[in-house]
Amino acid sequence: MAATVIIAADKLRAAVRHICLAGGSNEREAALVAENLVLANLSGHDSHGVGMLPQYILAVVEKRLKVNASVRVLSDAGAILNLDGNMGYGQVIGHEAMELGILRAKDLGACIVSLRNSHHIGRIGHWGEQCAAAGLVSTHYVNVVGRPPLVAPYGGADARFATNPYCCAIPAAEPGGEPIVLDMATSKIAMGKVRVAMNKGEQVAPGTLIDAKGAATTDPKTMFNPPIGAILAFGEHKGYGLAVIAELLAGAMTGGVTMHEGSWASGTITNNMFSVIIDPAKLGGAETWRREVAAFTDFVKASPKAPGSDGVLVAGEPERRMRAKRAAEGIPVDATTWGEIVAAGESVNVSAAETNSVAGAA
Ligand code: NAD
């Protein structure tokens, strides 16, 4: 297998931007897609980084993903915004949906943003971080349709829903501080991480996957080569329960679609997201909020290290550590993924030499 390429973040952004532009995106869209995907890689979530670009470009070529689409406001009830993503790039649709919700939450104290029918919106933490940067608390429930189910219900032996992510972001207690960003798939691992393991020729951890007969396996190929297996939910019945809630809030309450027979006929990865954005200063008061967030976080992090552990972190810290490391050292892209990106470029008339040259990977 050829070696992993190491690419600097700005070069990787330039390569994604270049391919998106060739696919028909305008400058703003290409920049938002590049920023979002490369930030996922910088954060250590290669599953939601540039490795998604080939799927996006294929969907553009097949006209299943609409370039240069914007969010459409279906109804506006002040603190409830009902939006349709028009099957546009999720990196643009998610950004616009959060911009609208942030403005409204600043004005009214809170806003429910109901978003249906977007192409893949990537790392949900990106949207939590956008709200947190505006000083707002947010919580997000997401379902995934347009593709066959991936995750088995607790007690079941085949897949019945997708990796339904959940995110809650708490803005920094002090100016210049860091937010807490809990952002996770409700499956043991995200599907993209199964793809990354397969591309790297690695096995996944025991207790993550079952094969088509419901038997435990560590082989990621079970999710790609028929007969297809399933990923397990995290936390047994509890993670399964949260996945069901995400499915119903995001898939049903937004007016989108939940997973059932026929929900994957389009073959196009589609996200629905139910978000609640809150100004914490409007509830217990800004001063109490700052004091209590800082006091609790400090208290929790002061827990002595468990044997063999690196100490207590809060959600969002592993991603920030990885951002510092990869910003300094470059982003590793495995050879299979890089080959797929180069081929995606070729499908929109960007030569392999051009992609490699823009990325500095030649
Ligand atoms: P993960 O398991 O790597 O991390 C989950 C959370 O745990 C993060 O908030 C992280 O900061 C926190 N965390 C990790 N280690 C920690 C530690 N030692 N101490 C404290 N907190 C810690 O994430 P995942 O479940 O693999 O999800 C990966 C990404 O996939 C997420 O960004 C998610 O939004 C995305 N996703 C997107 C979709 C979609 O359809 N758009 C579907 C599924 C997942």
Side-chain angles (χ1 to χ4, degrees):
M1 187 184 280
T4 291
V5 284
I6 309 286
I7 304 178
D10 59 338
K11 297 271 187 195
L12 197 51
R13 269 188 222 103
V16 172
R17 209 181 123 266
H18 198 73
I19 293 172
C20 286
L21 287 171
S25 293
N26 59 31
E27 286 283 355
R28 171 179 174 264
E29 178 162 281
L32 282 172
V33 174
E35 178 59 37
N36 179 291
L37 294 182
V38 173
L39 186 59
N41 288 107
L42 280 170
S43 309
H45 293 294
D46 295 336
S47 55
H48 288 70
V50 296
M52 292 302 293
L53 188 65
Q55 293 186 46
Y56 294 178
I57 294 297
L58 181 64
V60 166
V61 169
E62 293 180 351
K63 304 210 179 320
R64 293 180 280 112
L65 192 179
K66 255 187 253 164
V67 292
N68 306 320
S70 274
V71 135
R72 184 157 59 101
V73 180
L74 298 170
S75 66
D76 179 347
I80 303 182
L81 290 174
N82 192 11
L83 309 176
D84 188 298
N86 277 322
M87 279 312 283
Y89 265 109
Q91 286 67 22
V92 174
I93 299 300
H95 180 79
E96 291 180 352
M98 292 304 103
E99 271 186 335
L100 292 172
I102 287 167
L103 278 178
R104 208 48 78 81
K106 291 223 159 190
D107 191 21
L108 300 176
C111 184
I112 289 172
V113 181
S114 171
L115 173 65
R116 68 174 85 157
N117 195 31
S118 172
H119 195 263
H120 188 239
I121 55 178
R123 197 177 62 88
I124 309 309
H126 198 95
W127 315 122
E129 286 165 6
Q130 188 178 342
C131 297
L136 302 171
V137 170
S138 64
T139 181
H140 311 262
Y141 300 83
V142 176
N143 85 326
V144 197
V145 287
R147 290 281 179 81
L150 300 168
V151 180
Y154 183 68
D158 71 357
R160 295 286 155 158
F161 46 87
T163 51
N164 294 0
Y166 167 80
C167 171
C168 183
I170 306 287
E174 300 299 338
E178 301 290 2
I180 296 172
V181 185
L182 177 64
D183 171 30
M184 59 189 208
T186 50
S187 51
K188 277 246 167 91
I189 60 172
M191 180 60 184
K193 290 188 176 163
V194 184
R195 170 174 50 80
V196 170
M198 189 178 73
N199 285 354
K200 289 182 175 170
E202 293 173 356
Q203 298 288 296
V204 300
T208 304
L209 300 176
I210 52 175
D211 67 19
K213 292 187 176 137
T217 177
T218 57
D219 185 355
K221 290 197 209 79
T222 194
M223 295 306 296
F224 296 90
N225 301 339
I228 303 289
I231 314 176
L232 297 174
F234 87 93
E236 284 78 30
H237 55 290
K238 300 180 189 181
Y240 158 56
L242 184 56
V244 169
I245 297 298
E247 184 76 28
L248 296 178
L249 297 190
M253 201 154 70
T254 61
V257 174
T258 62
M259 188 70 88
H260 44 73
E261 289 294 338
S263 301
W264 54 92
S266 72
T268 300
I269 187 161
T270 306
N271 279 142
N272 303 294
M273 176 162 71
F274 176 80
S275 304
V276 183
I277 306 174
I278 304 164
D279 182 351
K282 296 274 183 0
L283 294 168
E287 187 43 45
T288 311
W289 167 256
R290 272 197 294 274
R291 186 186 66 230
E292 292 302 319
V293 171
F296 177 70
T297 311
D298 291 348
F299 180 64
V300 167
K301 292 197 65 168
S303 177
K305 279 186 192 176
S309 127
D310 291 334
V312 176
L313 303 178
V314 292
E317 275 192 282
E319 285 75 10
R320 283 195 292 276
R321 287 184 176 186
M322 189 58 90
R323 283 176 197 176
K325 179 175 159 59
R326 288 188 166 181
E329 297 174 2
I331 295 169
V333 183
D334 69 82
T336 305
T337 301
W338 187 246
E340 289 171 0
I341 291 170
V342 168
E346 288 175 317
S347 75
V348 287
N349 300 318
V350 178
S351 71
E354 210 175 329
T355 300
N356 280 317
S357 152
V358 173

